[in-house]
Amino acid sequence: MNIETKSDDRRTDRTTRTRGVALSAVRGLALTPISLVGSVLCFCLTLVSVALVPIGIGLVTTPWVLTGVRAFADWRRLLAAEWGGVRIQRAYRPLPANANPWARTFGMLSDPATWRDFLWLPVDMTAGTVTALLAFVLPLYPLEGFAIAAGLWRVLPDGYWYGFVRVTDQTSAFYAAGLGAVLLLVALWLTPRTLHAHFRLTGAVLGSGQGQLAERVRVLTETRRDAVDTSAAELRRIERDLHDGAQARLVAMGMDLGTIEALLEKNPEKARELLAQARQSSADALTELRELVRGIHPPVLAERGLGDAVRALALRLPVAVEVEVDLPGRAEAPVESAGYFAVSEILTNAVKHSGADRIWIDMHHTEGHLRIAVTDNGKGAAVIGAGSGLAGVERRLGTFDGVLAVSSPAGGPTMVTMEIPCALS
């Protein structure tokens, strides 16, 4: 039984390796025209557009061209992460939303990330194309040796060279097949690594390199400022809610009690009526205080953790919500709080604006990250920064080095994914 199990394991391992090589070859074939055509086109358009800046035409075209180059680079970052497991940091400086063409053009041209993109394009169209093509050719070339041995040598020109083997007859064709077998073994080992080298090359040029520390300082400065602004806004909200809600009710209740004290002997009936009113005011004030405390830090979040807090939140919504939680432990309290209020904001947006009648929440922890996905079947078209509250969620997560991604095509569905680096206890 053990021998059979080991044999099955080896067979499964060989099948997995073969599939990996075939997948790498197909991906290399797909990347070859992308690297060559896409990079050449982006490089030429950028060169021409920047050259036209002194005569004014480039002021209009350059922001559009550089935005396209950034979109192309972002797509390659995504492929590097999904196909090669290489994460490449995106470090473009933000531009004012209402900037004029002059400010946008020179703002983008003064960004070091723009010049990293421009430097990467010729590298991608040369070395990037070669490495992608090699990932396809390496496993394909040995098959030629087998085809030659199978009879292809008869239609080939006399003295055809396969590698260092000169094919003239069936015997030399078998030598070509032997060389093909050796090359195939090499290709099984080398093909995935060649494709990985393609993505590592992309990361080496597109990545922020020596400026990574400076970029990290800039990001931390922005997130700290956002955290301070968010805390100040939260304090103002709490003060406003206390002033307009519970405080006003307590002041009114104090006045009622003073009136009751004066009416106890003169008009007991009126005093009892005001006493009942004061009792109701105290109950309303207590309810508002509880709601305020729940808005600051829900008790269920502190007592039972993020999963149960989100489930409790979902039960209060007027739409059907499915919650799936796979958290083997608890994160730190600030991380749980950030995740809870981020989910709360996204659910509020979905109920108010999406027209959805069903929402799915998936929460799990993997590779040192808390990942939360909220999906609804609404009308879609949700955009960060379009007044939907998603920009605030992004700032809240940014305080913890978290990221927010939104997929919301017109017509739906909308999927909002959050990822926060953290450890569970």
Side-chain angles (χ1 to χ4, degrees):
M1 184 64 179
N2 290 337
I3 295 176
E4 292 179 358
T5 302
K6 291 180 181 178
S7 178
D8 290 341
D9 290 343
R10 292 195 197 98
R11 191 179 301 111
T12 302
D13 187 54
R14 285 196 299 269
T15 303
T16 302
R17 189 181 303 121
T18 303
R19 287 178 180 174
V21 171
L23 186 60
S24 297
V26 172
R27 288 173 173 174
L29 178 62
L31 282 169
T32 299
I34 293 173
S35 296
L36 183 59
V37 179
S39 295
V40 169
L41 181 62
C42 289
F43 182 79
C44 293
L45 288 176
T46 303
L47 201 61
V48 172
S49 184
V50 172
L52 293 176
V53 168
I55 63 174
I57 298 177
L59 293 176
V60 179
T61 60
T62 299
W64 293 97
V65 171
L66 292 182
T67 299
V69 172
R70 290 183 176 186
F72 180 64
D74 285 341
W75 183 41
R76 299 296 295 279
R77 289 185 179 95
L78 180 62
L79 291 181
E82 292 185 351
W83 288 2
V86 177
R87 294 183 176 270
I88 306 173
Q89 183 183 10
R90 189 183 191 274
Y92 298 114
R93 292 176 180 174
L95 294 171
N98 57 348
N100 56 44
W102 179 277
R104 288 184 63 83
T105 297
F106 287 96
M108 297 178 85
L109 290 177
S110 63
D111 189 347
T114 297
W115 296 105
R116 284 197 296 270
D117 289 351
F118 189 68
L119 176 63
W120 165 70
L121 291 173
V123 174
D124 189 52
M125 71 178 71
T126 53
T129 300
V130 170
T131 51
L133 185 60
L134 277 175
F136 171 69
V137 171
L138 282 173
L140 189 67
Y141 186 61
L143 301 181
E144 183 184 352
F146 301 141
I148 289 173
L152 183 63
W153 68 273
R154 300 179 186 278
V155 298
L156 292 175
D158 188 37
Y160 179 81
W161 286 91
Y162 176 73
F164 56 82
V165 176
R166 188 169 183 266
V167 180
T168 57
D169 53 17
Q170 186 63 54
T171 302
S172 56
F174 284 135
Y175 291 152
L179 177 59
V182 174
L183 292 177
L184 183 60
L185 292 176
V186 174
L188 290 175
W189 180 84
L190 194 57
T191 297
R193 288 166 175 79
T194 303
L195 187 66
H196 188 70
H198 171 89
F199 295 122
R200 292 298 296 270
L201 177 66
T202 301
V205 184
L206 273 185
S208 56
Q210 294 183 349
Q212 186 172 4
L213 181 59
E215 181 63 26
R216 178 65 176 157
V217 170
R218 183 187 68 80
V219 171
L220 288 176
T221 301
E222 290 183 358
T223 55
R224 183 186 63 181
R225 183 177 64 248
D226 290 340
V228 171
D229 293 343
T230 301
S231 298
E234 188 70 11
L235 286 174
R236 288 194 297 270
R237 182 190 68 82
I238 294 171
E239 181 182 7
R240 183 179 64 252
D241 290 347
L242 283 173
H243 182 272
D244 297 339
Q247 180 178 333
R249 291 188 182 278
L250 290 173
V251 170
M253 187 174 65
M255 295 174 64
D256 289 343
L257 289 175
T259 305
I260 292 169
E261 186 178 7
L263 292 175
L264 274 176
E265 296 181 359
K266 298 179 180 179
N267 193 346
E269 290 296 328
K270 184 65 175 178
R272 278 194 293 270
E273 181 182 339
L274 291 176
L275 190 61
Q277 183 177 330
R279 186 185 302 110
Q280 183 60 42
S281 295
S282 67
D284 292 341
L286 182 60
T287 300
E288 290 183 359
L289 286 173
R290 285 173 176 167
E291 290 294 332
L292 184 62
V293 170
R294 186 179 292 111
I296 298 173
H297 194 76
V300 66
L301 179 63
E303 295 170 3
R304 302 179 61 180
L306 181 59
D308 287 338
V310 170
R311 288 192 182 97
L313 182 65
L315 290 174
R316 297 199 296 268
L317 296 179
V319 300
V321 182
E322 293 183 18
V323 183
E324 184 172 343
V325 179
D326 182 16
L327 298 177
R330 294 192 58 175
E332 295 181 352
V335 173
E336 287 191 333
S337 179
Y340 174 84
F341 287 109
V343 172
S344 176
E345 179 67 29
I346 292 169
L347 292 176
T348 301
N349 283 352
V351 171
K352 286 185 177 179
H353 307 297
S354 72
D357 59 10
R358 198 165 192 84
I359 300 175
W360 297 266
I361 303 174
D362 178 70
M363 211 180 310
H364 62 278
H365 186 272
T366 180
E367 297 179 356
H369 290 77
L370 172 64
R371 291 192 174 97
I372 307 173
V374 181
T375 307
D376 67 67
N377 62 350
K379 61 185 179 181
V383 180
I384 297 178
S388 62
L390 293 177
V393 173
E394 188 176 41
R395 287 194 300 270
R396 183 188 292 272
L397 298 180
T399 307
F400 302 90
D401 283 344
V403 295
L404 175 73
V406 178
S407 173
S408 184
T414 295
M415 181 175 183
V416 181
T417 306
M418 295 162 282
E419 185 175 287
I420 309 175
C422 67
L424 299 185
S425 60

